[in-house]
Amino acid sequence: MLAITTEYRQGILFVRLNGSLVASTISKFNEEVNSWLLGGIKNVVFNVVGVDKIDRSGNEALYHYYQILNKNDGHSLICGLNNHINKSLRNSRVVNYIYEISDELNAIKVMKWNT
């Protein structure tokens, strides 16, 4: 099960995830994020503090959106890494591409510096 909450604030889309970001929930994740990106969103913060499980599909989805945003002169950040998923994300090297930030408030500051 995956619950997704989105909020658009100060030119940034915050995608807050709770539950499991795994193969069986990726389609829901993709539908939500794609709908925003098709609307022209260029800056996204993925808040994964509530994610209790992530697999290869979840890692690939996060990287996929990094690539799309980067190609369109956008930025992506990730915050809320927790013990449940930290190892998986580091092993997949997603955090080598998506900049890790401590929280959403700092993400706003970083995004403003990058634009």
Side-chain angles (χ1 to χ4, degrees), residues 17-42:
L17 305 171
N18 287 294
S20 298
L21 187 58
V22 294
S24 61
T25 62
I26 289 300
S27 62
K28 179 179 182 179
F29 176 69
N30 287 337
E31 285 176 27
E32 185 69 33
V33 176
N34 282 332
S35 68
W36 283 95
L37 294 184
L38 291 173
I41 299 298
K42 288 190 172 189

PDB file of all heavy atoms in Angstrom, residues 17-42:
ATOM      1  N   LEU A  17       5.433  10.536   0.445  1.00  0.00           N
ATOM      2  CA  LEU A  17       5.106   9.123   0.277  1.00  0.00           C
ATOM      3  C   LEU A  17       5.026   8.435   1.628  1.00  0.00           C
ATOM      4  O   LEU A  17       5.876   8.648   2.493  1.00  0.00           O
ATOM      5  CB  LEU A  17       6.171   8.446  -0.585  1.00  0.00           C
ATOM      6  CG  LEU A  17       6.425   9.104  -1.952  1.00  0.00           C
ATOM      7  CD1 LEU A  17       7.642   8.477  -2.608  1.00  0.00           C
ATOM      8  CD2 LEU A  17       5.204   8.984  -2.830  1.00  0.00           C
ATOM      9  N   ASN A  18       4.009   7.594   1.785  1.00  0.00           N
ATOM     10  CA  ASN A  18       3.841   6.786   2.991  1.00  0.00           C
ATOM     11  C   ASN A  18       3.478   5.374   2.582  1.00  0.00           C
ATOM     12  O   ASN A  18       2.548   5.181   1.792  1.00  0.00           O
ATOM     13  CB  ASN A  18       2.720   7.344   3.889  1.00  0.00           C
ATOM     14  CG  ASN A  18       3.152   8.620   4.574  1.00  0.00           C
ATOM     15  OD1 ASN A  18       4.046   8.606   5.403  1.00  0.00           O
ATOM     16  ND2 ASN A  18       2.531   9.718   4.206  1.00  0.00           N
ATOM     17  N   GLY A  19       4.234   4.412   3.092  1.00  0.00           N
ATOM     18  CA  GLY A  19       3.963   3.011   2.765  1.00  0.00           C
ATOM     19  C   GLY A  19       5.112   2.411   1.991  1.00  0.00           C
ATOM     20  O   GLY A  19       6.270   2.750   2.202  1.00  0.00           O
ATOM     21  N   SER A  20       4.774   1.552   1.049  1.00  0.00           N
ATOM     22  CA  SER A  20       5.787   0.817   0.292  1.00  0.00           C
ATOM     23  C   SER A  20       5.874   1.317  -1.144  1.00  0.00           C
ATOM     24  O   SER A  20       4.864   1.369  -1.847  1.00  0.00           O
ATOM     25  CB  SER A  20       5.437  -0.675   0.271  1.00  0.00           C
ATOM     26  OG  SER A  20       5.426  -1.191   1.579  1.00  0.00           O
ATOM     27  N   LEU A  21       7.065   1.679  -1.551  1.00  0.00           N
ATOM     28  CA  LEU A  21       7.321   2.072  -2.935  1.00  0.00           C
ATOM     29  C   LEU A  21       7.973   0.875  -3.619  1.00  0.00           C
ATOM     30  O   LEU A  21       9.194   0.746  -3.678  1.00  0.00           O
ATOM     31  CB  LEU A  21       8.221   3.309  -2.981  1.00  0.00           C
ATOM     32  CG  LEU A  21       8.450   3.954  -4.346  1.00  0.00           C
ATOM     33  CD1 LEU A  21       7.131   4.372  -4.985  1.00  0.00           C
ATOM     34  CD2 LEU A  21       9.379   5.149  -4.226  1.00  0.00           C
ATOM     35  N   VAL A  22       7.125  -0.029  -4.069  1.00  0.00           N
ATOM     36  CA  VAL A  22       7.557  -1.311  -4.634  1.00  0.00           C
ATOM     37  C   VAL A  22       6.823  -1.538  -5.955  1.00  0.00           C
ATOM     38  O   VAL A  22       5.947  -0.773  -6.340  1.00  0.00           O
ATOM     39  CB  VAL A  22       7.295  -2.470  -3.645  1.00  0.00           C
ATOM     40  CG1 VAL A  22       8.160  -2.319  -2.395  1.00  0.00           C
ATOM     41  CG2 VAL A  22       5.836  -2.556  -3.267  1.00  0.00           C
ATOM     42  N   ALA A  23       7.178  -2.623  -6.638  1.00  0.00           N
ATOM     43  CA  ALA A  23       6.625  -2.914  -7.966  1.00  0.00           C
ATOM     44  C   ALA A  23       5.103  -2.813  -8.010  1.00  0.00           C
ATOM     45  O   ALA A  23       4.542  -2.276  -8.966  1.00  0.00           O
ATOM     46  CB  ALA A  23       7.092  -4.288  -8.432  1.00  0.00           C
ATOM     47  N   SER A  24       4.440  -3.285  -6.988  1.00  0.00           N
ATOM     48  CA  SER A  24       2.975  -3.290  -7.007  1.00  0.00           C
ATOM     49  C   SER A  24       2.358  -1.907  -6.788  1.00  0.00           C
ATOM     50  O   SER A  24       1.163  -1.720  -7.026  1.00  0.00           O
ATOM     51  CB  SER A  24       2.436  -4.264  -5.954  1.00  0.00           C
ATOM     52  OG  SER A  24       2.839  -3.876  -4.663  1.00  0.00           O
ATOM     53  N   THR A  25       3.132  -0.927  -6.369  1.00  0.00           N
ATOM     54  CA  THR A  25       2.594   0.418  -6.135  1.00  0.00           C
ATOM     55  C   THR A  25       3.156   1.468  -7.095  1.00  0.00           C
ATOM     56  O   THR A  25       2.743   2.627  -7.048  1.00  0.00           O
ATOM     57  CB  THR A  25       2.870   0.880  -4.686  1.00  0.00           C
ATOM     58  OG1 THR A  25       4.287   0.944  -4.472  1.00  0.00           O
ATOM     59  CG2 THR A  25       2.226  -0.052  -3.674  1.00  0.00           C
ATOM     60  N   ILE A  26       4.069   1.074  -7.959  1.00  0.00           N
ATOM     61  CA  ILE A  26       4.725   2.027  -8.863  1.00  0.00           C
ATOM     62  C   ILE A  26       3.740   2.693  -9.810  1.00  0.00           C
ATOM     63  O   ILE A  26       3.871   3.882 -10.103  1.00  0.00           O
ATOM     64  CB  ILE A  26       5.868   1.343  -9.641  1.00  0.00           C
ATOM     65  CG1 ILE A  26       7.025   1.040  -8.699  1.00  0.00           C
ATOM     66  CG2 ILE A  26       6.349   2.175 -10.821  1.00  0.00           C
ATOM     67  CD1 ILE A  26       7.625   2.250  -8.022  1.00  0.00           C
ATOM     68  N   SER A  27       2.752   1.962 -10.297  1.00  0.00           N
ATOM     69  CA  SER A  27       1.811   2.572 -11.247  1.00  0.00           C
ATOM     70  C   SER A  27       1.069   3.739 -10.597  1.00  0.00           C
ATOM     71  O   SER A  27       0.864   4.779 -11.229  1.00  0.00           O
ATOM     72  CB  SER A  27       0.836   1.539 -11.806  1.00  0.00           C
ATOM     73  OG  SER A  27       0.056   0.983 -10.780  1.00  0.00           O
ATOM     74  N   LYS A  28       0.688   3.608  -9.346  1.00  0.00           N
ATOM     75  CA  LYS A  28       0.019   4.699  -8.631  1.00  0.00           C
ATOM     76  C   LYS A  28       0.966   5.893  -8.495  1.00  0.00           C
ATOM     77  O   LYS A  28       0.577   7.039  -8.722  1.00  0.00           O
ATOM     78  CB  LYS A  28      -0.429   4.219  -7.249  1.00  0.00           C
ATOM     79  CG  LYS A  28      -1.110   5.277  -6.425  1.00  0.00           C
ATOM     80  CD  LYS A  28      -1.556   4.737  -5.077  1.00  0.00           C
ATOM     81  CE  LYS A  28      -2.275   5.803  -4.280  1.00  0.00           C
ATOM     82  NZ  LYS A  28      -2.740   5.313  -2.989  1.00  0.00           N
ATOM     83  N   PHE A  29       2.202   5.631  -8.140  1.00  0.00           N
ATOM     84  CA  PHE A  29       3.224   6.670  -8.010  1.00  0.00           C
ATOM     85  C   PHE A  29       3.418   7.382  -9.348  1.00  0.00           C
ATOM     86  O   PHE A  29       3.408   8.608  -9.413  1.00  0.00           O
ATOM     87  CB  PHE A  29       4.525   6.031  -7.522  1.00  0.00           C
ATOM     88  CG  PHE A  29       5.688   6.968  -7.431  1.00  0.00           C
ATOM     89  CD1 PHE A  29       5.717   7.976  -6.484  1.00  0.00           C
ATOM     90  CD2 PHE A  29       6.769   6.832  -8.285  1.00  0.00           C
ATOM     91  CE1 PHE A  29       6.811   8.840  -6.386  1.00  0.00           C
ATOM     92  CE2 PHE A  29       7.857   7.686  -8.192  1.00  0.00           C
ATOM     93  CZ  PHE A  29       7.875   8.690  -7.247  1.00  0.00           C
ATOM     94  N   ASN A  30       3.580   6.603 -10.416  1.00  0.00           N
ATOM     95  CA  ASN A  30       3.798   7.187 -11.739  1.00  0.00           C
ATOM     96  C   ASN A  30       2.613   8.040 -12.188  1.00  0.00           C
ATOM     97  O   ASN A  30       2.806   9.118 -12.758  1.00  0.00           O
ATOM     98  CB  ASN A  30       4.077   6.094 -12.770  1.00  0.00           C
ATOM     99  CG  ASN A  30       5.450   5.493 -12.609  1.00  0.00           C
ATOM    100  OD1 ASN A  30       6.355   6.116 -12.057  1.00  0.00           O
ATOM    101  ND2 ASN A  30       5.627   4.274 -13.076  1.00  0.00           N
ATOM    102  N   GLU A  31       1.402   7.570 -11.970  1.00  0.00           N
ATOM    103  CA  GLU A  31       0.217   8.345 -12.355  1.00  0.00           C
ATOM    104  C   GLU A  31       0.213   9.708 -11.678  1.00  0.00           C
ATOM    105  O   GLU A  31      -0.054  10.725 -12.313  1.00  0.00           O
ATOM    106  CB  GLU A  31      -1.064   7.592 -11.979  1.00  0.00           C
ATOM    107  CG  GLU A  31      -1.399   6.434 -12.876  1.00  0.00           C
ATOM    108  CD  GLU A  31      -2.632   5.675 -12.389  1.00  0.00           C
ATOM    109  OE1 GLU A  31      -3.483   6.272 -11.717  1.00  0.00           O
ATOM    110  OE2 GLU A  31      -2.712   4.472 -12.692  1.00  0.00           O
ATOM    111  N   GLU A  32       0.490   9.710 -10.401  1.00  0.00           N
ATOM    112  CA  GLU A  32       0.461  10.964  -9.635  1.00  0.00           C
ATOM    113  C   GLU A  32       1.554  11.918 -10.106  1.00  0.00           C
ATOM    114  O   GLU A  32       1.286  13.085 -10.396  1.00  0.00           O
ATOM    115  CB  GLU A  32       0.625  10.667  -8.150  1.00  0.00           C
ATOM    116  CG  GLU A  32       0.493  11.862  -7.264  1.00  0.00           C
ATOM    117  CD  GLU A  32      -0.924  12.424  -7.195  1.00  0.00           C
ATOM    118  OE1 GLU A  32      -1.877  11.636  -7.274  1.00  0.00           O
ATOM    119  OE2 GLU A  32      -1.054  13.651  -7.065  1.00  0.00           O
ATOM    120  N   VAL A  33       2.766  11.443 -10.197  1.00  0.00           N
ATOM    121  CA  VAL A  33       3.886  12.322 -10.560  1.00  0.00           C
ATOM    122  C   VAL A  33       3.775  12.757 -12.022  1.00  0.00           C
ATOM    123  O   VAL A  33       3.987  13.937 -12.340  1.00  0.00           O
ATOM    124  CB  VAL A  33       5.239  11.649 -10.267  1.00  0.00           C
ATOM    125  CG1 VAL A  33       6.395  12.524 -10.727  1.00  0.00           C
ATOM    126  CG2 VAL A  33       5.373  11.350  -8.773  1.00  0.00           C
ATOM    127  N   ASN A  34       3.428  11.849 -12.916  1.00  0.00           N
ATOM    128  CA  ASN A  34       3.305  12.205 -14.336  1.00  0.00           C
ATOM    129  C   ASN A  34       2.268  13.291 -14.562  1.00  0.00           C
ATOM    130  O   ASN A  34       2.466  14.176 -15.400  1.00  0.00           O
ATOM    131  CB  ASN A  34       2.958  10.981 -15.184  1.00  0.00           C
ATOM    132  CG  ASN A  34       4.148  10.095 -15.441  1.00  0.00           C
ATOM    133  OD1 ASN A  34       5.286  10.550 -15.464  1.00  0.00           O
ATOM    134  ND2 ASN A  34       3.901   8.816 -15.627  1.00  0.00           N
ATOM    135  N   SER A  35       1.159  13.228 -13.835  1.00  0.00           N
ATOM    136  CA  SER A  35       0.118  14.240 -14.026  1.00  0.00           C
ATOM    137  C   SER A  35       0.655  15.639 -13.722  1.00  0.00           C
ATOM    138  O   SER A  35       0.292  16.610 -14.390  1.00  0.00           O
ATOM    139  CB  SER A  35      -1.111  13.923 -13.178  1.00  0.00           C
ATOM    140  OG  SER A  35      -0.844  14.072 -11.800  1.00  0.00           O
ATOM    141  N   TRP A  36       1.505  15.753 -12.737  1.00  0.00           N
ATOM    142  CA  TRP A  36       2.098  17.051 -12.404  1.00  0.00           C
ATOM    143  C   TRP A  36       3.152  17.470 -13.435  1.00  0.00           C
ATOM    144  O   TRP A  36       3.200  18.617 -13.847  1.00  0.00           O
ATOM    145  CB  TRP A  36       2.717  17.010 -11.017  1.00  0.00           C
ATOM    146  CG  TRP A  36       1.723  17.082  -9.917  1.00  0.00           C
ATOM    147  CD1 TRP A  36       1.158  16.030  -9.235  1.00  0.00           C
ATOM    148  CD2 TRP A  36       1.135  18.255  -9.354  1.00  0.00           C
ATOM    149  NE1 TRP A  36       0.282  16.480  -8.295  1.00  0.00           N
ATOM    150  CE2 TRP A  36       0.248  17.853  -8.340  1.00  0.00           C
ATOM    151  CE3 TRP A  36       1.290  19.618  -9.607  1.00  0.00           C
ATOM    152  CZ2 TRP A  36      -0.490  18.755  -7.588  1.00  0.00           C
ATOM    153  CZ3 TRP A  36       0.561  20.521  -8.855  1.00  0.00           C
ATOM    154  CH2 TRP A  36      -0.316  20.085  -7.867  1.00  0.00           C
ATOM    155  N   LEU A  37       3.988  16.521 -13.840  1.00  0.00           N
ATOM    156  CA  LEU A  37       5.056  16.859 -14.787  1.00  0.00           C
ATOM    157  C   LEU A  37       4.486  17.274 -16.134  1.00  0.00           C
ATOM    158  O   LEU A  37       5.032  18.158 -16.794  1.00  0.00           O
ATOM    159  CB  LEU A  37       6.024  15.693 -14.956  1.00  0.00           C
ATOM    160  CG  LEU A  37       6.853  15.328 -13.724  1.00  0.00           C
ATOM    161  CD1 LEU A  37       7.835  14.219 -14.043  1.00  0.00           C
ATOM    162  CD2 LEU A  37       7.571  16.531 -13.150  1.00  0.00           C
ATOM    163  N   LEU A  38       3.390  16.652 -16.541  1.00  0.00           N
ATOM    164  CA  LEU A  38       2.749  17.048 -17.797  1.00  0.00           C
ATOM    165  C   LEU A  38       2.204  18.467 -17.716  1.00  0.00           C
ATOM    166  O   LEU A  38       2.044  19.127 -18.733  1.00  0.00           O
ATOM    167  CB  LEU A  38       1.629  16.063 -18.156  1.00  0.00           C
ATOM    168  CG  LEU A  38       2.100  14.672 -18.566  1.00  0.00           C
ATOM    169  CD1 LEU A  38       0.908  13.732 -18.732  1.00  0.00           C
ATOM    170  CD2 LEU A  38       2.934  14.718 -19.835  1.00  0.00           C
ATOM    171  N   GLY A  39       1.949  18.929 -16.512  1.00  0.00           N
ATOM    172  CA  GLY A  39       1.495  20.297 -16.294  1.00  0.00           C
ATOM    173  C   GLY A  39       2.623  21.315 -16.269  1.00  0.00           C
ATOM    174  O   GLY A  39       2.392  22.503 -16.064  1.00  0.00           O
ATOM    175  N   GLY A  40       3.856  20.861 -16.446  1.00  0.00           N
ATOM    176  CA  GLY A  40       4.988  21.779 -16.539  1.00  0.00           C
ATOM    177  C   GLY A  40       5.810  21.952 -15.280  1.00  0.00           C
ATOM    178  O   GLY A  40       6.680  22.818 -15.220  1.00  0.00           O
ATOM    179  N   ILE A  41       5.583  21.138 -14.280  1.00  0.00           N
ATOM    180  CA  ILE A  41       6.369  21.227 -13.042  1.00  0.00           C
ATOM    181  C   ILE A  41       7.827  20.884 -13.337  1.00  0.00           C
ATOM    182  O   ILE A  41       8.122  19.912 -14.028  1.00  0.00           O
ATOM    183  CB  ILE A  41       5.813  20.256 -11.976  1.00  0.00           C
ATOM    184  CG1 ILE A  41       4.376  20.597 -11.631  1.00  0.00           C
ATOM    185  CG2 ILE A  41       6.696  20.225 -10.733  1.00  0.00           C
ATOM    186  CD1 ILE A  41       4.180  21.961 -11.031  1.00  0.00           C
ATOM    187  N   LYS A  42       8.742  21.688 -12.798  1.00  0.00           N
ATOM    188  CA  LYS A  42      10.167  21.461 -13.031  1.00  0.00           C
ATOM    189  C   LYS A  42      10.962  21.158 -11.771  1.00  0.00           C
ATOM    190  O   LYS A  42      12.102  20.713 -11.862  1.00  0.00           O
ATOM    191  CB  LYS A  42      10.783  22.664 -13.724  1.00  0.00           C
ATOM    192  CG  LYS A  42      10.379  22.814 -15.158  1.00  0.00           C
ATOM    193  CD  LYS A  42      11.214  23.868 -15.822  1.00  0.00           C
ATOM    194  CE  LYS A  42      10.961  23.885 -17.305  1.00  0.00           C
ATOM    195  NZ  LYS A  42      11.899  24.733 -18.010  1.00  0.00           N
TER     196      LYS A  42
END
